[in-house]
Amino acid sequence: MRASLAPSARSSATKHLSEKTRTPFSNGVLVVGSAAVTAPDDLVRLAINTIRTLSIDAVQRANSGHPGLPMGAAPMAYTLWQRHLTVDPRAPLWPDRDRFVLSAGHGSMLIYSLLHLAGFDLSMDDLKAFRQWGSKTPGHPEWHHTAGVESTTGPLGQGHANAVGMAIAEKFLGHLFNRPGHTVVDHHTYALVSDGDVVEGVAQESASLAGHLGLGKLILLYDDNKITLDGPASLAMSEDVGARYAAMGWQVLHVADGDHDVGALDRAIAEAKADTARPSLICVRTTIGFGSPKKAGTSGAHGSPLGKDEVAATKRALGWDPEAHFLVPDAVRAHMAEIGARGEAAHAAWTARFQAWRAAYPELATLWDQAWSGALPAGWADALPAWKAGESVATRSASGKVMAAIAAKVPWFVGGDADLGGSTKTIIPGGDFVRTGEGRNLRFGVREHAMGAICNGIAYHGGARPFSATFFVFSDYMRPSVRLAALNGLPVTFVWTHDSIGLGEDGPTHQPVEHLMSLRAMPNLWVARPADANETRAAWKLAMERTDGPVALVLSRQDLPVVAPADAPVERGAYVLADAAGGKPDVVLIATGSEVSLALAARDALAAEGIGARVVSMPVWERFVAQDAAYRESVLPAAVRARVAVEAGVTFGWGDLVGPTGHVVGLDRFGASAPGEVLLEQLGVSVAGVVAAAKASLAASR
């Protein structure tokens, strides 16, 4: 799909890229091992075919995988890595390295081949173990599992949006740390995207924002092979992709012959780097499965091994020994080692600049060390606000005050909302993030899915601590991004307000019901639903101190009475907030969020009838079940079989905690449009409802 360039770039870019110098690696036969390789063009061809053959050998050995993309995209990947990408295989986490994201993660053998050839810690045995148990080469790239992999990709479009987040992080950190004459943050973010990526909604949301923000150090290589899993891309898409990106403020460049024209690829990347005011999309026309006599250019090359005979036929067509498996010619090994040597030199030069900067700005250097290590400044939590019993405040409002206090102490705390900052109370002092990189509030617009994936990209990048915010019911739009944050242990804070039917008149479309339980089912996600302002304070402290995964803060629209102490032990997940006389309860009432104050009122009503009730606030289910058995017993004694869970959401899942004689006061239906207090009363989430459930549980447990 070739689009017209934006008017300001069309004439120069089109002219520049049309003056092709075709390298002759599509003509003649160069049999590996037949002679020493001396001609530069021959060496280029040999390196590209090494990437291809390593990829098809690994897929064939695993009898599983996607060979087509690595075969077609090898020339553009080679050109980027060999001539432009700055990375140091010996220091894969060097902060000022370029980032490369394989958004089309199904083509994972492409990046594994590149990492191996460039000198990263990925051996030939690792390539041979592709898609096997315990290997460093899983079916889709996984962050922190394989050195050099910058983000976990596979769900299409996510890597595209992650790359936008990385570019935002680069610009933000450059503004925070760079000083005149001292540049310590200055790198590019590259991503290779497929037809599937560019049609995903999350990609388009993030592309729109990237164009708006003018992320000039973001460059996407679009593998325009016109084939998807089911067949020709034309089955489902016919738009001009380049024109779409141009309309969103991107520089759009084209390489008509991505199978052969390394010169044009080189010039296109250079042209993209030269435009620092706009992100760039390079549309590269390729042939999926290039070199395969039977499957090139067809969906048959997309998601299945070529087959033993077709692998041999492909190698012959590429001038390769069909009996040579996992072969890296010595000349290619030496040639690709130049990537690491160039990166090592760049890293050394940066280190010298960094040391000069550190000497000139020692206080700023201390902040750098903290930001990149995940540490927090000493005393960062001392100024967090606390509230007194008797006050009444919505937890979303309390959260806003806590966030302002955090922002004052943690300069790398950055994030934003989906056009709801006034309602979610998540606009922090520091202004809006703009094209210069200044400002700490990211105005994501109504782009919830991309918002989550972009925050993941900021976390992948490192050096900044991201948060995002929207209404809780719209967490559904974000779920794939939230799942990837949990899967990868990314320290992202998701702020979700308007947390129940208690929000009232907006009605069932905006009232979350099933969301709490569905998100609690997600491994490694901590879901915090604080009971009041003080628990909100403690929940934010928990979120900021967590470095191995995301935390979701689920907050109320309506005012709630302050019932918890300022030092509420939210980190334990649950605790005894109020006990029966003598500490010997007849029944335990377990509640979360706005229903904790309801449980306290029910406790008083039960006490008037001679029934002793313990109220347990359980703001973070996942933290409580992770506590030792002794602590869990001290909160929920096994001897007390009469239990009631109170939460304005589905009752599914509470059975494990309340037991066979327990009851749940919840909501197994959608809400309605009415004032919040009316809804709660009408649907049984009330003092009377809790009291009745407690009596029923007592009767059943005797």
Side-chain angles (χ1 to χ4, degrees):
M1 290 151 217
R2 277 173 284 288
S4 299
L5 296 171
S8 61
R10 177 181 171 82
S11 58
S12 61
T14 301
K15 178 181 178 182
H16 182 69
L17 300 180
S18 64
E19 296 169 356
K20 297 189 296 182
T21 302
R22 187 181 288 269
T23 55
F25 59 85
S26 63
N27 302 316
V29 175
L30 177 70
V31 178
V32 175
S34 62
V37 177
T38 56
D41 287 343
D42 287 347
L43 184 55
V44 168
R45 175 199 174 191
L46 197 62
I48 290 170
N49 285 342
T50 300
I51 295 169
R52 287 170 168 149
T53 56
L54 285 175
S55 298
I56 62 176
D57 280 342
V59 171
Q60 189 60 40
R61 184 184 181 98
N63 196 30
S64 175
H66 299 73
L69 183 143
M71 297 166 75
M76 74 173 90
Y78 161 85
T79 306
L80 174 64
W81 280 62
Q82 176 64 25
R83 302 186 183 183
H84 296 275
L85 190 74
T86 301
V87 291
D88 184 354
R90 296 186 180 183
L93 298 180
W94 163 38
D96 203 38
R97 68 193 182 277
D98 287 339
R99 270 66 170 178
F100 172 74
V101 176
L102 181 64
S103 188
H106 56 276
S108 56
M109 267 312 303
L110 177 67
I111 193 170
Y112 298 149
S113 298
L114 290 163
L115 291 171
H116 172 75
L117 293 171
F120 283 80
D121 182 21
L122 201 67
S123 69
M124 187 63 77
D125 285 340
D126 292 323
L127 300 189
K128 292 177 180 178
F130 179 55
R131 290 190 163 220
Q132 304 308 302
W133 175 263
S135 77
K136 294 181 181 179
T137 50
H140 292 83
E142 296 179 24
W143 180 70
H144 271 191
H145 184 79
T146 309
V149 169
E150 299 286 4
S151 71
T152 296
T153 56
L156 291 173
Q158 290 288 331
H160 182 302
N162 294 160
V164 173
M166 293 175 188
I168 287 173
E170 192 273 345
K171 181 169 279 193
F172 170 74
L173 292 171
H175 185 270
L176 179 62
F177 290 114
N178 291 341
R179 293 295 182 268
H182 295 273
T183 300
V184 292
V185 181
D186 182 15
H187 54 266
H188 285 82
T189 300
Y190 301 92
L192 194 155
V193 302
S194 65
D195 286 305
D197 285 294
V198 299
V199 297
E200 284 282 5
V202 65
Q204 293 317 294
E205 290 178 18
S206 62
S208 175
L209 185 62
H212 173 70
L213 294 176
L215 300 177
K217 291 183 181 177
L218 173 64
I219 298 171
L220 303 188
L221 296 164
Y222 168 33
D223 182 26
D224 181 16
N225 61 38
K226 301 190 183 300
I227 295 294
T228 62
L229 179 63
D230 277 349
S234 60
L235 289 171
M237 59 187 292
S238 55
E239 73 269 28
D240 189 328
V241 173
R244 177 152 49 90
Y245 276 74
M248 291 188 287
W250 289 59
Q251 174 183 215
V252 179
L253 306 171
H254 300 273
V255 175
D257 186 3
D259 294 333
H260 304 107
D261 203 340
V262 169
L265 288 163
D266 187 18
R267 291 192 299 275
I269 297 169
E271 184 84 1
K273 290 163 69 176
D275 189 338
T276 58
R278 297 177 294 174
S280 294
L281 177 76
I282 305 174
C283 301
V284 184
R285 185 73 175 92
T286 64
T287 302
I288 192 171
F290 179 89
S292 171
K294 292 183 178 179
K295 296 187 177 183
T298 75
S299 60
H302 177 89
S304 301
L306 297 180
K308 182 178 179 181
D309 292 343
E310 189 64 10
V311 166
T314 300
K315 289 180 178 179
R316 290 190 192 96
L318 296 174
W320 209 263
D321 181 355
E323 300 303 319
H325 303 295
F326 294 96
L327 173 65
V328 178
D330 291 343
V332 171
R333 181 77 67 189
H335 178 55
M336 297 300 281
E338 296 169 7
I339 299 170
R342 186 182 71 247
E344 189 174 350
H347 186 184
W350 176 85
T351 299
R353 296 195 307 273
F354 181 78
Q355 293 302 329
W357 169 84
R358 178 180 286 278
Y361 300 98
E363 293 182 359
L364 205 56
T366 297
L367 295 181
W368 172 283
D369 294 341
Q370 293 168 341
W372 283 96
S373 68
L376 293 164
W380 74 275
D382 293 347
L384 296 184
W387 288 263
K388 296 179 180 178
E391 295 185 73
S392 186
V393 59
T395 53
R396 62 169 174 158
S397 298
S399 171
K401 290 180 170 59
V402 174
M403 291 177 69
I406 293 171
K409 294 287 188 178
V410 186
W412 53 94
F413 181 57
V414 62
D417 58 87
D419 195 42
L420 292 169
S423 291
T424 57
K425 309 298 183 184
T426 48
I427 299 174
I428 59 176
D432 293 336
F433 182 95
V434 294
R435 285 178 172 242
T436 60
E438 60 188 317
R440 299 169 68 180
N441 293 294
L442 288 162
R443 301 291 192 164
F444 286 105
V446 188
R447 302 182 180 99
E448 291 92 348
H449 194 178
M451 176 173 69
I454 288 169
C455 285
N456 287 351
I458 294 171
Y460 281 131
H461 181 280
R465 189 62 186 261
F467 69 87
S468 69
T470 188
F471 291 170
F472 189 32
V473 75
F474 301 138
S475 63
D476 282 342
Y477 284 145
M478 302 177 65
R479 193 178 182 91
S481 300
V482 176
R483 183 177 188 272
L484 285 168
L487 190 155
N488 290 285
L490 299 176
V492 179
T493 303
F494 300 104
V495 180
W496 292 320
T497 69
H498 296 57
D499 68 337
S500 74
I501 62 171
L503 71 88
E505 291 86 348
D506 277 339
T509 60
H510 284 55
Q511 293 166 356
V513 174
E514 74 279 16
H515 300 70
L516 281 163
M517 278 303 174
S518 69
L519 287 160
R520 286 174 181 146
M522 189 179 291
N524 202 39
L525 173 66
W526 295 355
V527 181
R529 188 175 184 236
D532 68 355
N534 283 334
E535 281 196 2
T536 302
R537 173 189 190 273
W540 261 113
K541 188 171 184 292
L542 177 73
M544 292 299 293
E545 291 176 345
R546 187 178 191 198
T547 60
D548 61 353
V551 176
L553 303 183
V554 183
L555 307 173
S556 75
R557 177 194 185 191
Q558 69 271 32
D559 288 346
L560 300 176
V562 174
V563 296
D567 59 351
V570 168
E571 74 280 0
R572 302 301 294 267
Y575 64 100
V576 178
L577 178 60
D579 211 350
K584 295 182 178 180
D586 301 307
V587 60
V588 176
L589 309 179
I590 311 165
T592 76
S594 52
E595 287 71 68
V596 172
S597 57
L598 180 66
L600 288 169
R603 169 180 172 270
D604 293 342
L606 288 165
E609 298 186 38
I611 300 172
R614 168 181 290 184
V615 174
V616 171
S617 178
M618 187 174 286
V620 193
W621 181 320
E622 299 81 10
R623 293 298 302 144
F624 178 69
V625 298
Q627 302 302 307
D628 60 73
Y631 181 77
R632 297 197 307 272
E633 172 66 18
S634 72
V635 175
L636 298 179
V640 183
R641 297 173 61 233
R643 298 180 182 182
V644 178
V646 192
E647 185 171 74
V650 294
T651 61
F652 176 82
W654 278 109
D656 288 345
L657 288 175
V658 300
T661 59
H663 283 244
V664 183
V665 175
L667 196 70
D668 290 320
R669 54 155 286 175
F670 295 112
S673 179
E677 62 275 13
V678 173
L679 276 175
L680 290 164
E681 186 70 31
Q682 289 293 324
L683 296 176
V685 186
S686 61
V687 172
V690 176
V691 169
K695 291 178 178 178
S697 183
L698 277 166
S701 63
R702 288 178 180 141

